Amino acid sequence: MKALVLSGGAGTRLRPITHTSAKQLVPVANKPVLFYGLEAIADAGITEVGIVVGDTADEIREAVGDGSQFGIEVTYIPQDAPLGLAHAVLIAREFLGEDDFVMYLGDNFIVGGITALVEEFRAERPEAQILLTQVPNPTSFGVAELDAAGRVVGLEEKPKQPKSDLALVGVYLFTPAIHEAVRSIEPSWRGELEITHAIQWLIDEKRDVRSTTISGYWKDTGNVADMLEVNRSVLETVPAVNEGTVDADSEIIGRVRIEAGARISGSRIVGPAIIGAGSVVNDAYIGPFTSVSEDCRIEDSEIEYSIVLRGSSVTGVRRVEASLIGRDVEVTPAPRNPSAHRLVLGDHSKVQISS
């Protein structure tokens, strides 16, 4: 069995972060989201992995390499444009051959991994098996309709009037039957080859399509709110470790991971939280569910329920919360006089100002 991991796409909902970084490499608990998926695939005993890449191919290649760090062997599959999930299957035909495979969206996060799901599929081998979960906003997802016996009878992509609240989770399992399906469908109104249409083709052809409804934790980390929520979830599992330096004037409460070379002085940190390697925290408060990446500086500031990426500094700021701060960013107080806000913002930025 092989795996097909989708790591193309522009990540428009995470702009401006994704103007300069692949959305699959934005870290939660100081580890890229994509890495959690690759680890889950390896844990399920799958070693041959194809990664579909787009404009951020070089960055993905640099981060993942040949896959040996995860115990897998990676083949990179270029996709000229994000033309749909079924299109990714189409262009991966040579890599996939006649093997069964799991398709995993690289920006999705599933607590508990996929091992049990893969074992069930290997034992039963339906033509397709999909994961479903209840969501409050089904119009934003692919949605499944089940009959009274729980069988999948219909799928719709982002329907205006959903027939259920069961959304497709970004993990799919297929036999080679899916290749005929993706060749048999036409692009949707979005100009994409939709995987929901391909699975619907299998249903219409009376093929065996099954579903598993999960009640565990799943998130599509496509926007800031979901990134912060996944970060919170992962930090709940992080053990307390101190590989850095904490002076006598600092207070560490709860599960806090302090990585090698980090220096904490005159500060209070309340876990769960993580302080990356080489970072400096001085005269600051870091509250629960905060991930500070490597080589950052947090000084004379308060920050909580946030993600701070590599090389950034937050200095002299009274309070920061529910924020995603990119790489090499400087956050400082505005001058008191004149009383005005001075902003340099890129496209698609979002700013909230207390006046």
Side-chain angles (χ1 to χ4, degrees):
M1 192 168 184
K2 293 176 180 174
L4 185 66
V5 178
L6 275 58
S7 293
T12 54
R13 292 179 294 159
L14 272 175
R15 286 176 179 168
I17 299 293
T18 49
H19 279 309
T20 54
S21 177
K23 64 177 179 177
Q24 297 85 5
L25 296 180
V26 176
V28 293
N30 287 9
K31 182 163 67 176
V33 172
L34 175 62
F35 287 14
Y36 293 98
L38 296 178
E39 289 168 355
I41 288 166
D43 288 344
I46 300 171
T47 57
E48 294 182 76
V49 180
I51 301 182
V52 177
V53 292
D55 292 342
T56 58
D58 291 344
E59 191 178 6
I60 299 289
R61 286 175 185 267
E62 182 179 355
V64 177
D66 63 2
S68 57
Q69 62 180 306
F70 307 100
I72 59 177
E73 181 180 333
V74 169
T75 299
Y76 292 96
I77 303 167
Q79 185 181 35
D80 293 336
L83 297 175
L85 305 188
H87 180 261
V89 175
L90 199 64
I91 65 172
R93 183 70 175 94
E94 182 179 351
F95 165 76
L96 294 169
E98 294 302 315
D99 292 305
D100 297 349
F101 66 98
V102 56
M103 184 167 75
Y104 197 114
L105 306 193
D107 59 353
N108 275 227
F109 184 89
I110 300 176
V111 169
I114 60 171
T115 300
L117 180 74
V118 169
E119 290 175 350
E120 178 186 349
F121 180 80
R122 280 174 164 154
E124 302 291 337
R125 287 200 76 233
E127 270 84 4
Q129 186 162 345
I130 58 177
L131 261 67
L132 305 174
T133 192
Q134 288 184 303
V135 295
N137 54 334
T139 56
S140 300
F141 300 93
V143 174
E145 180 186 2
L146 307 183
D147 65 14
R151 291 185 294 264
V152 184
V153 296
L155 298 173
E156 290 184 279
E157 187 65 32
K158 297 182 174 64
K160 293 181 179 179
Q161 295 182 325
K163 295 178 181 178
S164 82
D165 62 352
L166 294 172
L168 278 76
V169 173
V171 177
Y172 309 77
L173 297 106
F174 297 115
T175 68
I178 192 65
H179 298 301
E180 183 181 2
V182 299
R183 291 195 305 269
S184 302
I185 61 174
E186 298 292 333
S188 68
W189 63 270
R190 300 193 302 169
E192 298 185 3
L193 288 176
E194 310 285 0
I195 198 66
T196 47
H197 291 179
I199 300 170
Q200 184 66 54
W201 186 91
L202 292 174
I203 295 170
D204 294 341
E205 292 291 314
K206 309 302 181 187
R207 306 294 183 89
D208 189 3
V209 176
R210 303 185 188 180
S211 68
T212 300
T213 301
I214 62 172
S215 57
Y217 188 84
W218 165 77
K219 278 289 184 183
D220 167 5
T221 60
N223 59 51
V224 173
D226 286 341
M227 285 292 302
L228 293 173
E229 182 61 20
V230 171
N231 188 63
R232 181 201 63 75
S233 179
V234 176
L235 286 177
E236 291 276 20
T237 68
V238 171
V241 176
N242 182 9
E243 298 174 339
T245 303
V246 180
D247 75 357
D249 294 328
S250 296
E251 184 179 18
I252 309 297
I253 301 171
R255 288 178 291 103
V256 177
R257 176 173 178 146
I258 302 171
E259 297 184 338
R263 303 191 307 277
I264 316 298
S265 59
S267 298
R268 186 169 186 255
I269 303 177
V270 179
I274 183 168
I275 309 299
S279 288
V280 174
V281 180
N282 182 42
D283 291 333
Y285 166 77
I286 295 180
F289 310 121
T290 301
S291 292
V292 177
S293 195
E294 66 271 21
D295 300 322
C296 293
R297 186 174 193 89
I298 312 296
E299 188 168 15
D300 189 27
S301 300
E302 298 181 5
I303 185 167
E304 186 170 310
Y305 192 62
S306 294
I307 299 173
V308 183
L309 302 190
R310 186 188 66 227
S312 291
S313 65
V314 181
T315 306
V317 179
R318 185 178 60 186
R319 182 78 174 178
V320 175
E321 61 182 31
S323 298
L324 174 57
I325 297 172
R327 299 173 183 172
D328 301 311
V329 170
E330 295 182 7
V331 182
T332 60
R336 293 185 179 275
N337 293 305
S339 182
H341 301 290
R342 184 173 181 268
L343 307 174
V344 180
L345 301 174
D347 296 346
H348 308 286
S349 294
K350 293 183 179 179
V351 177
Q352 292 180 321
I353 296 175
S354 297
S355 299

